[in-house]
Amino acid sequence: MTVNHYSPPPVTQEPLDYADLPIIDLSKSPRPDDVREAMQTHGFFYVVGHGLSPDENQRIFDIADLPFASVRDDEKRQYEGTMQQTGSYQGYKLRKYWHIDNGVQDEVELYNINRDITKRQHPEAVRPHLAEIEAFARHNHFNVLHPILRLLALGLGLPEDTLVNIHGYSSVGDTYVRFMKYYRHSTEDEEKTQSVWLKGHTDFGSITILYSQPVSALQILTPSGEWKWIRHIENALVINAGDALEFLSGGVYRATIHRVVQPPKDQRGRTRLGVFYFCMPDDNVKLLPLVDAKERRFVDADAPTMEEWRKGRTAAYGKSQLKKAEGEERIEEEVINGVVVKHYK
């Protein structure tokens, strides 16, 4: 079915300080030790050889733009999510829902589709493409997520399907496809937030799969405490660990701190379209270490289920009152399910 072509701006020519991240080629039977080292050292890595062609990659970005460019604001409100009430991102997260800093609200729209596309109704412009979106979710689940989970399990010394078995495609859970569009901020808001569009944070699931796109804005916090940019690689995926993987691995794989900032000068004023697959263990999984814990953020008796953790994090994000961390000027904290969650200014 014909869809308007989405044309992103050219790759930035600004001399940015990029993170030097490993590249894992899934088509070449990567070694578990390589994936373990990539996740332990950086928490972020690229994946190539994932089975989606450049044309198929372009097609999903064309579809991803539909919920934003082809749906009126009044129709968007009909499909708005109820994050605080249900702890689920399904549907739209419209602009100015999250508080960033100093009274500034966000300028990003999300449209989230559960891998079970029948869970909710969808805007008219999206409906003809639901079969393609479901196929995209299946591809990510079985051809990207599961192979990575097998490698990560082997890297922990566990049977290779240990993590796969708690990430079922048909299980009860909230793993979903996310389309995300960032819009420019006013000069006044950029000053108030020091050009930060989303504060440094960790994702709350196990693995986040991000489809690389050319508008530079994503940065990671390195082990040395520096913010470094993520470089665009055509038709590559950017993979990072979230809270659930940190909990399950006993801290061997750490949830990676990342943020979104104003793009460089030669890309400012252009929208930034993102395509993600946010992966979570099944809702009933207790987030207990599967190996001897390197460090613990809660005692076993207090371990939340994935459902409890995702609902708590989803309902609170961008809405809760954060407190400055003791002795840390640039870190703010909140407590969710008895666990301290940090946000980086």
Side-chain angles (χ1 to χ4, degrees):
M1 188 166 293
T2 304
V3 179
N4 288 336
H5 177 61
Y6 171 77
S7 297
V11 174
T12 181
Q13 299 303 306
E14 297 288 330
L16 305 181
D17 187 10
Y18 289 109
D20 184 18
L21 300 181
I23 299 175
I24 303 295
D25 189 340
L26 288 182
S27 69
K28 294 184 176 178
S29 302
R31 298 187 313 141
D33 286 353
D34 291 339
V35 177
R36 176 189 170 108
E37 182 180 351
M39 192 63 90
Q40 280 191 299
T41 304
H42 303 277
F44 263 74
F45 56 88
Y46 296 102
V47 159
V48 296
H50 49 75
L52 211 65
S53 71
D55 286 346
E56 289 168 322
N57 182 302
Q58 178 61 63
R59 173 69 176 180
I60 200 65
F61 273 91
D62 292 347
I63 291 171
D65 197 40
L66 288 172
F68 313 114
S70 299
V71 180
R72 299 185 317 273
D73 287 347
D74 59 339
E75 188 181 4
K76 288 176 184 176
R77 285 190 287 272
Q78 294 176 34
Y79 297 96
E80 189 171 359
T82 52
M83 285 72 77
Q84 283 189 294
Q85 295 86 347
T86 63
S88 171
Y89 273 117
Q90 303 311 310
Y92 281 101
K93 196 269 335 150
L94 299 177
R95 283 187 263 182
K96 299 189 183 299
Y97 176 80
W98 293 326
H99 174 251
I100 302 172
D101 211 0
N102 294 321
V104 176
Q105 303 296 112
D106 74 274
E107 293 292 349
V108 59
E109 287 183 340
L110 317 178
Y111 190 66
N112 305 290
I113 305 172
N114 191 283
R115 62 190 187 275
D116 177 358
I117 59 170
T118 65
K119 270 200 158 187
R120 284 178 62 106
Q121 294 295 310
H122 302 280
E124 187 174 347
V126 175
R127 292 172 201 163
H129 310 286
L130 287 172
E132 286 180 88
I133 294 169
E134 183 181 32
F136 178 70
R138 285 183 175 275
H139 171 78
N140 280 279
H141 208 92
F142 294 110
N143 300 333
V144 182
L145 172 64
H146 279 184
I148 290 172
L149 290 178
R150 290 188 178 99
L151 291 162
L152 291 171
L154 291 170
L156 292 170
L158 296 168
E160 69 172 350
D161 279 343
T162 302
L163 295 172
V164 166
N165 290 339
I166 57 174
H167 287 77
Y169 190 81
S170 301
S171 303
V172 176
D174 214 41
T175 292
Y176 56 91
V177 173
R178 169 176 288 180
F179 303 141
M180 190 171 192
K181 198 167 189 178
Y182 288 88
Y183 300 84
R184 66 181 301 172
H185 288 224
S186 68
T187 302
E188 181 184 4
D189 283 354
E190 294 287 9
E191 290 174 358
K192 287 181 179 178
T193 63
Q194 298 180 52
S195 297
V196 172
W197 286 8
L198 286 181
K199 287 179 186 174
H201 63 283
T202 59
D203 293 339
F204 54 81
S206 50
I207 294 290
T208 300
I209 300 170
L210 162 65
Y211 278 68
S212 186
Q213 54 76 51
V215 180
S216 294
L218 179 62
Q219 295 181 336
I220 64 169
L221 187 62
T222 65
S224 61
E226 301 172 282
W227 289 106
K228 297 212 171 199
W229 297 79
I230 299 297
R231 186 191 301 273
H232 172 56
I233 297 178
E234 198 67 31
N235 200 28
L237 314 180
V238 183
I239 307 295
N240 72 273
D243 295 338
L245 186 63
E246 179 176 325
F247 299 158
L248 292 166
S249 70
V252 174
Y253 303 130
R254 300 297 298 271
T256 319
I257 301 159
H258 55 286
R259 69 179 183 181
V260 179
V261 300
Q262 182 185 39
K265 288 180 182 178
D266 58 357
Q267 293 183 326
R268 284 179 198 166
R270 298 294 298 266
T271 56
R272 177 175 183 264
L273 183 64
V275 173
F276 301 77
Y277 193 59
F278 276 95
C279 311
M280 289 169 239
D282 307 338
D283 264 359
N284 64 354
V285 172
K286 200 88 164 164
L287 298 177
L288 289 165
L290 299 170
V291 295
D292 289 338
K294 192 175 178 183
E295 57 184 70
R296 291 177 179 269
R297 286 169 64 186
F298 43 73
V299 298
D300 287 1
D302 295 335
T305 62
M306 186 64 242
E307 180 181 18
E308 291 166 339
W309 187 247
R310 71 167 173 83
K311 285 184 173 181
R313 286 289 314 269
T314 300
Y317 188 79
K319 306 300 282 186
S320 56
Q321 199 70 33
L322 303 178
K323 295 181 180 180
K324 281 188 179 178
E326 190 173 340
E328 298 279 1
E329 181 62 29
R330 302 190 69 183
I331 297 178
E332 297 173 317
E333 295 178 339
E334 61 182 331
V335 177
I336 296 175
N337 292 98
V339 182
V340 175
V341 176
K342 295 184 178 183
H343 300 261
Y344 297 77
K345 298 183 74 173

